[in-house]
Amino acid sequence: MSQSTVDVSAKGGFSFDLCKRNEMLTQEGLKAPSFLKTGTTIVGLIFKDGVILGADTRATEGPIVADKNCEKIHYMAPNIYCCGAGTAADTEAVTDMVSSQLRLHRYETGRDSRVITALTLLKKHLFSYQGHVSAALVLGGVDITGPHLHTIDPNGLTETLPFATMGSGSLAAMSVFEAKYKEGLTRDEGIKLVAEAICSGIFNDLGSGSNVDICVITKGNKEYLRNYMEPNPRTYVSSKGYSFTKKTEVLLTKITPLLERVEITEVGEAMEE
Amino acid sequence: MTTLTVPIDNGDSVKIAEEESQRTLYPYVTGTSIVAIKYKDGVLMASDMGGSYGSTLRYKNIERVKAIGKHSLLGASGEISDFQEILRYLDELTLNDNMWDDGNSLGPKEIHNYLTRVMYNRRNKFNPLWNTLVLGGVKNGKSYLGMVSMIGVSFEDDHVATGFGNHLARPILRDEWHADLSFEDGVKLLEKCMRVLLYRDRSAINKLQIAKITEEGVTVSQPYSLKTFWEFSSFHNPTAGAEGSW
């Protein structure tokens, strides 16, 4: 073993070192920067041959739409993808981190990654941060043991489900799933149901909007359908935009005489001192 | 100590001390969502029969949809005692009207307006009636469906839902409601919404009533329950592939 390995944080869990300084700063009047939340609808479902994940594409910063077409379905492994809701930076960072860890693990073991590996790595990380890493994830993939779908809460709770939704639009999407999900859906039926659930979130939840992304994972194959549906196109009044004619148009004829130039000549005597 | 100004007989008013002001601060016994739609012949309204006392399901036989006069149906979610108070107010209203004995009766639009005024005025005095009311009715062939919230927000629509129904039933209604639904289709649509609510609302119970109002009058169905499905293969052994998760 190499002697020069870096010792990364011997004590696990949340580091409270900066809390005192943060408190002092807020007392001085510094406003903490606001988070970029994804205010999202993310869903996943298991169909006959694998897993289908879906997500909307709106990223919000409070009441403003910061990114109209962001990517919420993150790559974890060739056979595993993860949708993320919550603070955008947290979902990106945590999925990137676990994706790298999985890759190293693949080199170590020489085998394809399993979904529970990703699940355990994510849940360990999120639990140790006690919910402060605000990432709610829908993890899905197909490995040697079959198709799997899990949800991971920011506090570290995981659930294994046949269909799942997370994010602010989760109730709207879940109502579609609860009404229409059946076992043994075909690929097209599954995609249609996922698109319907995401559209339900897009049109009924203010935090979700724009387009629908879908990712279909089956044994040995994955299809990332970016912008599978674009139900909110931008419509211009005219495809050419505005046009201004080159003709000079006479609006009004009015002659305004300028004042005559008055010459002042020195007449008379200068004022008395 | 706060004082209360009470009017006395000769037109003056007198200040009396009161211990604690009696305002509604939180609800105690609550009913969950109401879902209602307009259909071909009138209005259909569905509600379950549960009254929760905090997190306990205390009462399982509460009718949260009542007929008002000949032309309207009133459904309420929220505090049950306030709903009973509102029914009393409406009783007084209709009684006063009947005493004129001129054949006129209050239509759904009038009752909706009355309720809006009552709710909004109570909210202005910081003493709300803690309900979201759904008013449906048919008068002279025209169907009417409206909603008033506890702060006085009032509007009319083709389909309404209160409480959790806002999040779970509205998306389904927005997608699948269309004008001129038949009675069977309307009931199927309401049952679809109520089933999702049953699965996902913790204060919902599997005992519901569907009320119908048409030009002929009001019919409130007998309580019945919905069929639910729990046989997904993943539910049989959920953590087969992932030990340590739920």
Side-chain angles (χ1 to χ4, degrees), chain A residues 10 43-44 105 110 137 164 173 228 234 242:
Chain A
V43 307
H105 193 248
L137 310 166
Y228 170 75
R234 199 156 174 203
Y242 294 107

PDB file of all heavy atoms in Angstrom, chain A residues 10 43-44 105 110 137 164 173 228 234 242:
ATOM      1  N   ALA A  10     -10.959  11.791   8.809  1.00  0.00           N
ATOM      2  CA  ALA A  10     -11.008  10.586   9.623  1.00  0.00           C
ATOM      3  C   ALA A  10     -12.344  10.474  10.349  1.00  0.00           C
ATOM      4  O   ALA A  10     -12.908   9.404  10.483  1.00  0.00           O
ATOM      5  CB  ALA A  10      -9.868  10.607  10.642  1.00  0.00           C
ATOM      6  N   VAL A  43     -39.806  10.916 -12.160  1.00  0.00           N
ATOM      7  CA  VAL A  43     -40.545   9.662 -11.979  1.00  0.00           C
ATOM      8  C   VAL A  43     -39.713   8.497 -12.477  1.00  0.00           C
ATOM      9  O   VAL A  43     -38.762   8.662 -13.247  1.00  0.00           O
ATOM     10  CB  VAL A  43     -41.896   9.659 -12.749  1.00  0.00           C
ATOM     11  CG1 VAL A  43     -42.722  10.868 -12.414  1.00  0.00           C
ATOM     12  CG2 VAL A  43     -41.678   9.554 -14.224  1.00  0.00           C
ATOM     13  N   GLY A  44     -40.102   7.306 -12.022  1.00  0.00           N
ATOM     14  CA  GLY A  44     -39.491   6.101 -12.573  1.00  0.00           C
ATOM     15  C   GLY A  44     -40.522   5.007 -12.519  1.00  0.00           C
ATOM     16  O   GLY A  44     -41.392   5.011 -11.650  1.00  0.00           O
ATOM     17  N   HIS A 105     -14.867   1.242  -8.849  1.00  0.00           N
ATOM     18  CA  HIS A 105     -15.273  -0.074  -8.355  1.00  0.00           C
ATOM     19  C   HIS A 105     -15.351  -1.087  -9.492  1.00  0.00           C
ATOM     20  O   HIS A 105     -14.991  -2.261  -9.332  1.00  0.00           O
ATOM     21  CB  HIS A 105     -16.625   0.057  -7.651  1.00  0.00           C
ATOM     22  CG  HIS A 105     -16.990  -1.131  -6.842  1.00  0.00           C
ATOM     23  ND1 HIS A 105     -18.027  -1.972  -7.163  1.00  0.00           N
ATOM     24  CD2 HIS A 105     -16.453  -1.646  -5.707  1.00  0.00           C
ATOM     25  CE1 HIS A 105     -18.127  -2.929  -6.269  1.00  0.00           C
ATOM     26  NE2 HIS A 105     -17.172  -2.750  -5.367  1.00  0.00           N
ATOM     27  N   GLY A 110     -13.959  -5.717 -12.027  1.00  0.00           N
ATOM     28  CA  GLY A 110     -14.065  -6.257 -13.379  1.00  0.00           C
ATOM     29  C   GLY A 110     -15.479  -6.667 -13.745  1.00  0.00           C
ATOM     30  O   GLY A 110     -15.696  -7.441 -14.668  1.00  0.00           O
ATOM     31  N   LEU A 137     -33.578  11.589  -4.829  1.00  0.00           N
ATOM     32  CA  LEU A 137     -33.197  10.926  -6.078  1.00  0.00           C
ATOM     33  C   LEU A 137     -34.116   9.765  -6.431  1.00  0.00           C
ATOM     34  O   LEU A 137     -34.667   9.109  -5.542  1.00  0.00           O
ATOM     35  CB  LEU A 137     -31.757  10.388  -5.955  1.00  0.00           C
ATOM     36  CG  LEU A 137     -30.718  11.384  -5.451  1.00  0.00           C
ATOM     37  CD1 LEU A 137     -29.454  10.668  -5.047  1.00  0.00           C
ATOM     38  CD2 LEU A 137     -30.397  12.400  -6.525  1.00  0.00           C
ATOM     39  N   ALA A 164     -42.335   5.215  -8.917  1.00  0.00           N
ATOM     40  CA  ALA A 164     -41.954   6.208  -7.912  1.00  0.00           C
ATOM     41  C   ALA A 164     -41.965   7.604  -8.502  1.00  0.00           C
ATOM     42  O   ALA A 164     -41.692   7.783  -9.684  1.00  0.00           O
ATOM     43  CB  ALA A 164     -40.562   5.895  -7.391  1.00  0.00           C
ATOM     44  N   ALA A 173     -47.773  13.780 -10.462  1.00  0.00           N
ATOM     45  CA  ALA A 173     -47.336  12.607 -11.225  1.00  0.00           C
ATOM     46  C   ALA A 173     -47.830  11.323 -10.575  1.00  0.00           C
ATOM     47  O   ALA A 173     -48.234  10.386 -11.260  1.00  0.00           O
ATOM     48  CB  ALA A 173     -45.810  12.600 -11.323  1.00  0.00           C
ATOM     49  N   TYR A 228     -37.671  14.294 -25.139  1.00  0.00           N
ATOM     50  CA  TYR A 228     -38.565  13.353 -25.822  1.00  0.00           C
ATOM     51  C   TYR A 228     -39.834  14.060 -26.260  1.00  0.00           C
ATOM     52  O   TYR A 228     -40.372  13.799 -27.323  1.00  0.00           O
ATOM     53  CB  TYR A 228     -38.900  12.200 -24.877  1.00  0.00           C
ATOM     54  CG  TYR A 228     -39.979  11.293 -25.362  1.00  0.00           C
ATOM     55  CD1 TYR A 228     -39.732  10.369 -26.366  1.00  0.00           C
ATOM     56  CD2 TYR A 228     -41.254  11.349 -24.822  1.00  0.00           C
ATOM     57  CE1 TYR A 228     -40.721   9.531 -26.822  1.00  0.00           C
ATOM     58  CE2 TYR A 228     -42.252  10.503 -25.276  1.00  0.00           C
ATOM     59  CZ  TYR A 228     -41.982   9.600 -26.264  1.00  0.00           C
ATOM     60  OH  TYR A 228     -42.976   8.773 -26.714  1.00  0.00           O
ATOM     61  N   ARG A 234     -41.878  27.607 -28.003  1.00  0.00           N
ATOM     62  CA  ARG A 234     -41.935  29.057 -28.057  1.00  0.00           C
ATOM     63  C   ARG A 234     -42.548  29.427 -29.400  1.00  0.00           C
ATOM     64  O   ARG A 234     -42.136  28.932 -30.431  1.00  0.00           O
ATOM     65  CB  ARG A 234     -40.499  29.594 -27.997  1.00  0.00           C
ATOM     66  CG  ARG A 234     -40.467  31.007 -27.599  1.00  0.00           C
ATOM     67  CD  ARG A 234     -39.131  31.311 -26.995  1.00  0.00           C
ATOM     68  NE  ARG A 234     -39.048  32.720 -26.739  1.00  0.00           N
ATOM     69  CZ  ARG A 234     -37.925  33.364 -26.629  1.00  0.00           C
ATOM     70  NH1 ARG A 234     -36.788  32.709 -26.783  1.00  0.00           N
ATOM     71  NH2 ARG A 234     -37.924  34.641 -26.382  1.00  0.00           N
ATOM     72  N   TYR A 242     -39.957  40.667 -36.805  1.00  0.00           N
ATOM     73  CA  TYR A 242     -40.516  41.955 -37.225  1.00  0.00           C
ATOM     74  C   TYR A 242     -39.890  42.396 -38.531  1.00  0.00           C
ATOM     75  O   TYR A 242     -38.749  42.071 -38.827  1.00  0.00           O
ATOM     76  CB  TYR A 242     -40.238  43.021 -36.172  1.00  0.00           C
ATOM     77  CG  TYR A 242     -40.951  42.750 -34.887  1.00  0.00           C
ATOM     78  CD1 TYR A 242     -40.253  42.309 -33.772  1.00  0.00           C
ATOM     79  CD2 TYR A 242     -42.326  42.913 -34.782  1.00  0.00           C
ATOM     80  CE1 TYR A 242     -40.899  42.055 -32.594  1.00  0.00           C
ATOM     81  CE2 TYR A 242     -42.978  42.657 -33.612  1.00  0.00           C
ATOM     82  CZ  TYR A 242     -42.265  42.234 -32.522  1.00  0.00           C
ATOM     83  OH  TYR A 242     -42.901  41.979 -31.355  1.00  0.00           O
TER      84      TYR A 242
END
